[in-house]
Amino acid sequence: MAEIVLENIVKRFGNLVAVNNLNLRIEDKEFVVLLGPSGCGKTTTLRMISGLELPDEGKILLDGQDVTFKRASRRDIAFVFQLYALYPHMTVYGNMAFPLKTQGFSKEKVDEEIKMAAGLLKIDHILNKKPRELAGGDMQRVALGRALVRRPKAFLLDEPIGTLDAKFREEMRTELKKLHVDIGATTVYVTHDQVEAMSMGDKVVIMNKGDLQQIGTPSEVYHNPENLFVANFIGSPGMNFIECMPVKDEGGNVTLKMTDVNQVIELPDNLQKIIIKNNKIDHELILGIRPEDINLEFKECKNYINAEVYIIETLGSYNIIDVKLGKYTIRVRTLPTVSPDIGTGCCIGLEMNSITLFDKKTEKSIMKN
Ligand SMILES: Nc1ncnc2c1ncn2[C@@H]1O[C@H](COP(=O)(O)OP(=O)(O)OP(=O)(O)O)[C@@H](O)[C@H]1O
Ligand SMILES: [Mg+2]
């Protein structure tokens, strides 16, 4: 079993704060994905868990034991890097046997472990090949195999399939997930690809510039982003944002006046209440809405906003239609059959249950407060 806990972890490189006060609990058998743009501190975090890097502040606990200053080789954790160096002069079998031989396993035990891992990874047929004879995907499988034979307490995978082409990545994604289900070891997986993160993680940890942004299930981070960064980073395309000002009329009804566009968005009671409860009347807000939560119509509809078709992206099973209203470009996901001419007048209706409101100044969601 392996539960990994990071407590107030800080890592600096000179003046740069690579990881800023990170708190994270990774449960036993969990598949956790660290996600964020380049340079946000993912690899540094992983290297600290593995013991290859020491934190400047904070503690790392493995099954409740403080391992902050314990050497990497003593942590029973396997680290698979993106560009995993296999020994070129050894066969696949030799590569996989190497870590076990150095640990003094008997020949029979080594053989048993390799057969087990090779079976799981479907690389039985290439055990006698040399790395240069292998395709990228197989090479990555061998690298995983080499980690697997050690039966580590936890796997740390740093963009393990990042270099593979898109089609192959998809296959490996499914295989890795299946492998995790089969062996059930705690896994921390690093990627900057949000689709990969969402499809694989039990839990997604989103970071930006060393700061933790949100921890949640894929569904939580998608549907309830805690700030603008997460809302924009997750989803393809990301959330649409509309700047607006909540105004209250004499009757007490709260509406949103769009900034720089002469249009008003009517709100259901629950959203009005959230705005009032947060004291946001006459405070700038940002309304966030996902492309699939917008209805596009080509006739007048009550409570819809007027816009104009700007660009159409045909993506096979759906279309993304960009519509313009004043300074805003709003991306709408439609059925593939919707294909209006550019410049056509249209109106858009927002699914009110799917709106997230953010404070413009703090960039934080006000939905939970
Ligand atoms: N050994 C080092 N010395 C100095 N700066 C470093 C070192 N390692 C990382 N950094 C810096 O720390 C920050 C975080 O780096 P890290 O490699 O953890 O990012 P990352 O999220 O893994 O990015 P990527 O997606 O590009 O791999 C970056 O600004 C990076 O330049
Ligand atoms: Mg990295």
Side-chain angles (χ1 to χ4, degrees), residues 41 48 146 212 220 225 233 272 291-292:
M48 287 191 286
R146 189 157 71 171
L212 176 69
E220 279 163 358
F233 194 75
Q272 295 195 29
E292 66 272 28

Side-chain angles (χ1 to χ4, degrees), residues 11-14 16-19 34-47 53 82 158-159 190-193 207 209-210:
K11 178 70 192 178
R12 300 184 198 93
F13 294 108
L16 180 99
V17 184
V19 176
L34 300 187
L35 172 69
S38 189
C40 73
K42 305 181 293 294
T43 297
T44 306
T45 303
L46 217 55
R47 285 172 61 83
E53 201 85 68
Q82 179 182 39
D158 194 353
E159 313 227 13
V190 160
T191 179
H192 61 268
D193 179 343
M207 298 173 69
K209 295 180 183 159

Side-chain angles (χ1 to χ4, degrees), residues 55-83:
D56 292 305
E57 291 173 30
K59 259 196 216 166
I60 297 174
L61 308 173
L62 189 58
D63 289 336
Q65 256 197 353
D66 189 337
V67 296
T68 317
F69 299 105
K70 203 166 174 180
R71 268 199 278 157
S73 55
R74 299 272 169 87
R75 290 192 191 188
D76 284 343
I77 289 180
F79 199 158
V80 179
F81 294 94
Q82 179 182 39
L83 298 169

Side-chain angles (χ1 to χ4, degrees), residues 95-244:
N95 266 283
M96 288 170 71
F98 190 76
L100 296 178
K101 283 188 181 152
T102 55
Q103 282 177 41
F105 279 70
S106 72
K107 219 170 153 217
E108 290 72 32
K109 184 73 185 152
V110 170
D111 200 57
E112 190 186 311
E113 288 296 309
I114 292 179
K115 296 266 158 66
M116 179 277 298
L120 273 174
L121 290 160
K122 300 191 204 77
I123 49 173
D124 323 61
H125 60 293
I126 54 167
L127 287 175
N128 292 322
K129 295 206 168 171
K130 295 268 177 69
R132 69 182 135 77
E133 299 172 83
L134 304 178
D138 281 339
M139 212 151 0
Q140 210 47 260
R141 284 194 189 95
V142 176
L144 279 170
R146 189 157 71 171
L148 206 59
V149 291
R150 287 176 46 202
R151 302 216 179 191
K153 281 186 173 174
F155 284 99
L156 308 179
L157 306 176
D158 194 353
E159 313 227 13
I161 57 179
T163 51
L164 307 179
D165 65 49
K167 186 82 198 127
F168 230 39
R169 271 216 311 267
E170 238 170 69
E171 267 175 40
M172 280 302 280
R173 231 158 58 196
T174 320
E175 280 182 32
L176 279 172
K177 191 70 201 166
K178 173 77 173 41
L179 189 65
H180 176 252
V181 173
D182 288 347
I183 62 174
T186 310
T187 303
V188 190
Y189 186 101
V190 160
T191 179
H192 61 268
D193 179 343
Q194 55 99 18
V195 178
E196 210 167 288
M198 300 288 279
S199 64
M200 298 181 82
D202 297 322
K203 202 154 87 182
V204 183
V205 177
I206 301 164
M207 298 173 69
N208 187 33
K209 295 180 183 159
D211 287 322
L212 176 69
Q213 301 292 312
Q214 186 168 353
I215 302 178
T217 62
S219 170
E220 279 163 358
V221 297
Y222 189 81
H223 295 291
N224 302 310
E226 283 173 16
N227 60 39
L228 287 178
F229 177 84
V230 173
N232 187 42
F233 194 75
I234 301 284
S236 172
M239 224 180 227
N240 292 292
F241 298 126
I242 300 172
E243 293 170 45
C244 52

